[in-house]
Amino acid sequence: MNKKIFLLIIVLLLFTQRTLAASYVVLDEPVFRDAVVTLGEIYYHDEPSLIVAEENTIFYLDGEDRKTLIKDLSGKVTAIAVGDVSGNGKNDLVVATTSGGALYSFSENRGVWEANGQPVYLWDNVRTLEVKDINNDGYDDAVVLTENGELQILIGWEGRLLPFWKSSEDQRISNFQILDINGDKLQEIIYTVDSGYISILAWNDQELSTLWQNYPWGSIDSLVAIPNGSNPEWLVVTSQKMLYGWRMQNGRIVSSKQFQASELGERLFYIPGHGLLSLSQKTGASLFDLKNSSVVEKWNVPGVFGNKAFYHEKGFYVLDENLDCQRLVVASGEWRLFMYDEEITSSVGVLDSEEQLYFKLSDLARMWGLNFFGGYDWYYWMNDREILIKASSRQIVINGFAIPLVDPVMERDNSLYVSSELLAYFGWNAEVNSSRQRVVFVKNWGWWL
């Protein structure tokens, strides 16, 4: 019995590892362009919806349908957040625009979203906006970070947002997170400063005051809050690629992690139920498991970078500095093929063998205008060149001259499948983009001509 249980555990572990190792790809086209995108619950929906602003109009996605919420705002929308500013159990929309850094609160009334009084003008465009009940009074509050690095906190009251606290002029705030660090239902604001330290603001006796500060080694690139049930934790990653973590323990803030994390990129996000999503200008998007003294990569998609990320409906959404929104999804195994800009996926056979792509040569030959015939040996010719290819061989013969190949020639159903290595001898290159599962065939203006 014990042996059977042991074998079952091994099988489950192997299955789990295979599941975690599932690869992701980025969809060919951005989901949205030049748009502000957030996730929030409106209209008492059980699941969050994608809420999107394009210029001065805000809508949400109901399946594939766009349902307009607010339009004709003054200025372009720079940030959106969802929360109960009115204290009535229904979520409101908090919206920032470029019109004097205006910050609006909208409440839904019989299907119409109405502004709660006049906006608050911050006189700087809002870069980051979060809405949560900081002081546990039943009204959600707004925490705002402007483009010039000013942090402001506005207290919510019956749908209005009242300016309450802002950072000093000699500070430039780079990032913030909101987290209940000790389980008392009061939300702390954790923020990082460009000069190189991390600080926590806490609600105490009807005011906000500094609870804690720390000076890690190096400037701070990323700040992450991990709610983690009764044991919340917050992390920073510095320019020295050191990861530091802290948590509250027995009424004191203590160090929870400190190790070198050179694998992590410049942007880091905690995705509940998945792990740490790292965005790097060099390596792209990677998902990591966070361990006590290391991070372990689960998958990587090259060429993806951005300033904001979240997970929704089996996909990771990444927004870049141009406000283009990319979506990463589990790889389907189906490759799209193009001859320059023309899609030819349905016209060319493809095999994927040991992470190497092989293309049905006869399909490509017809498109390229090559003459060919053969059975076991296949002959291709164009102009004054004759190419002989044998199935399962590792060489190609051009006008009687044998050239060795690294990749084998494969045969399926009496047809030859070859790798991109061999295509070069026909005057073509296959540009393989694995992060998008896309192959583009382009002319190789080389010796063939």
Side-chain angles (χ1 to χ4, degrees):
M1 179 63 70
N2 290 337
K3 185 176 180 180
K4 290 182 179 179
I5 293 175
F6 176 76
L7 290 174
L8 178 60
I9 292 172
I10 294 297
V11 170
L12 289 173
L13 286 173
L14 290 173
F15 175 79
T16 302
Q17 290 173 353
R18 288 176 63 89
T19 302
L20 291 176
S23 59
Y24 276 71
V25 296
V26 59
L27 297 183
D28 259 348
E29 295 297 327
V31 184
F32 305 104
R33 291 187 183 275
D34 193 18
V36 175
V37 185
T38 194
L39 200 59
E41 297 179 12
I42 54 176
Y43 294 131
Y44 295 109
H45 289 178
D46 293 334
E47 296 295 330
S49 302
L50 285 177
I51 303 172
V52 183
E54 293 180 345
E55 295 293 337
N56 62 354
T57 299
I58 301 173
F59 60 90
Y60 79 98
L61 289 187
D62 183 5
E64 296 184 358
D65 296 331
R66 297 186 174 196
K67 301 294 182 69
T68 300
L69 299 171
I70 302 165
K71 60 182 181 179
D72 298 328
L73 285 164
S74 177
K76 182 179 180 179
V77 175
T78 61
I80 315 170
V82 174
D84 183 10
V85 179
S86 302
N88 59 4
K90 294 172 60 178
N91 276 340
D92 306 301
L93 284 172
V94 179
V95 180
T97 77
T98 56
S99 180
L103 191 66
Y104 296 84
S105 167
F106 290 89
S107 296
E108 185 267 333
N109 181 19
R110 298 181 181 180
V112 178
W113 289 86
E114 301 174 342
N116 293 309
Q118 296 299 313
V120 178
Y121 291 95
L122 306 179
W123 305 115
D124 189 11
N125 290 337
V126 173
R127 175 157 59 95
T128 308
L129 171 64
E130 297 288 342
V131 175
K132 284 189 179 180
D133 187 359
I134 293 170
N135 54 6
N136 195 30
D137 66 351
Y139 296 91
D140 282 354
D141 314 298
V143 182
V144 172
L145 180 61
T146 70
E147 287 186 353
N148 288 324
E150 184 177 70
L151 186 67
Q152 291 205 34
I153 297 170
L154 300 94
I155 298 298
W157 181 257
E158 296 183 350
R160 305 292 296 274
L161 290 169
L162 311 175
F164 185 79
W165 183 94
K166 65 179 179 179
S167 56
S168 61
E169 293 183 358
D170 61 346
Q171 292 178 316
R172 182 178 174 86
I173 312 303
S174 54
N175 201 352
F176 75 86
Q177 294 284 320
I178 304 174
L179 182 69
D180 180 3
I181 67 172
N182 56 11
D184 63 358
K185 296 184 180 180
L186 297 173
Q187 302 288 331
E188 280 72 39
I189 298 100
I190 308 169
Y191 64 91
T192 56
V193 184
D194 277 358
S195 58
Y197 70 91
I198 177 172
S199 185
I200 294 181
L201 277 178
W203 185 266
N204 185 26
D205 292 333
Q206 302 302 308
E207 66 178 12
L208 286 165
S209 58
T210 300
L211 174 68
W212 171 86
Q213 289 184 343
N214 194 281
Y215 294 79
W217 181 38
S219 59
I220 298 173
D221 287 342
S222 296
L223 169 66
V224 175
I226 303 178
N228 202 24
S230 61
N231 202 19
E233 186 177 23
W234 58 100
L235 315 171
V236 297
V237 179
T238 72
S239 57
Q240 304 297 327
K241 293 303 176 187
M242 288 294 297
L243 184 146
Y244 297 87
W246 299 271
R247 60 165 48 102
M248 185 71 80
Q249 182 175 302
N250 298 325
R252 295 176 59 249
I253 294 176
V254 299
S255 174
S256 59
K257 289 179 176 63
Q258 182 176 331
F259 56 84
Q260 188 77 27
S262 56
E263 308 95 323
L264 299 179
E266 302 92 303
R267 304 284 186 272
L268 195 64
F269 304 90
Y270 172 66
I271 309 296
H274 296 273
L276 294 176
L277 182 65
S278 166
L279 301 178
S280 166
Q281 294 186 11
K282 292 182 179 179
T283 60
S286 303
L287 190 70
F288 288 89
D289 267 337
L290 176 64
K291 306 297 184 182
N292 287 330
S293 58
S294 67
V295 290
V296 178
E297 186 179 275
K298 298 163 72 172
W299 51 256
N300 169 260
V301 180
V304 178
F305 185 71
N307 300 320
K308 180 179 178 181
F310 58 87
Y311 185 86
H312 179 58
E313 291 185 347
K314 299 182 180 180
F316 294 84
Y317 289 77
V318 178
L319 284 83
D320 64 20
E321 60 182 6
N322 296 318
L323 298 181
D324 290 344
C325 182
Q326 302 278 0
R327 186 167 182 241
L328 310 182
V329 296
V330 175
S332 65
E334 298 178 1
W335 289 78
R336 297 181 67 192
L337 309 182
F338 293 80
M339 191 80 71
Y340 291 102
D341 294 331
E342 179 186 356
E343 184 162 6
I344 57 171
T345 302
S346 60
S347 302
V348 179
V350 181
L351 292 177
D352 190 343
S353 177
E354 298 180 357
E355 299 185 356
Q356 174 67 59
L357 290 180
Y358 292 84
F359 308 99
K360 189 174 180 179
L361 188 55
S362 58
D363 291 340
L364 291 173
R366 291 187 184 95
M367 291 185 176
W368 295 338
L370 299 178
N371 298 310
F372 64 94
F373 71 91
Y376 183 77
D377 295 343
W378 287 80
Y379 293 88
Y380 295 79
W381 69 92
M382 182 177 180
N383 299 330
D384 61 344
R385 300 187 187 275
E386 179 185 89
I387 297 179
L388 168 62
I389 303 174
K390 294 186 177 183
S392 303
S393 69
R394 284 186 179 269
Q395 70 174 18
I396 181 173
V397 180
I398 301 177
N399 289 348
F401 181 73
I403 301 174
L405 299 173
V406 174
D407 300 320
V409 176
M410 304 184 70
E411 184 179 22
R412 293 289 188 278
D413 300 325
N414 295 321
S415 295
L416 296 186
Y417 286 77
V418 300
S419 72
S420 57
E421 173 198 14
L422 192 144
L423 298 183
Y425 294 105
F426 287 88
W428 288 83
N429 287 338
E431 298 178 349
V432 179
N433 187 333
S434 58
S435 65
R436 284 177 161 78
Q437 288 191 305
R438 179 186 178 106
V439 179
V440 180
F441 297 101
V442 296
K443 191 70 176 174
N444 174 11
W445 304 100
W447 64 267
W448 176 257
L449 298 177

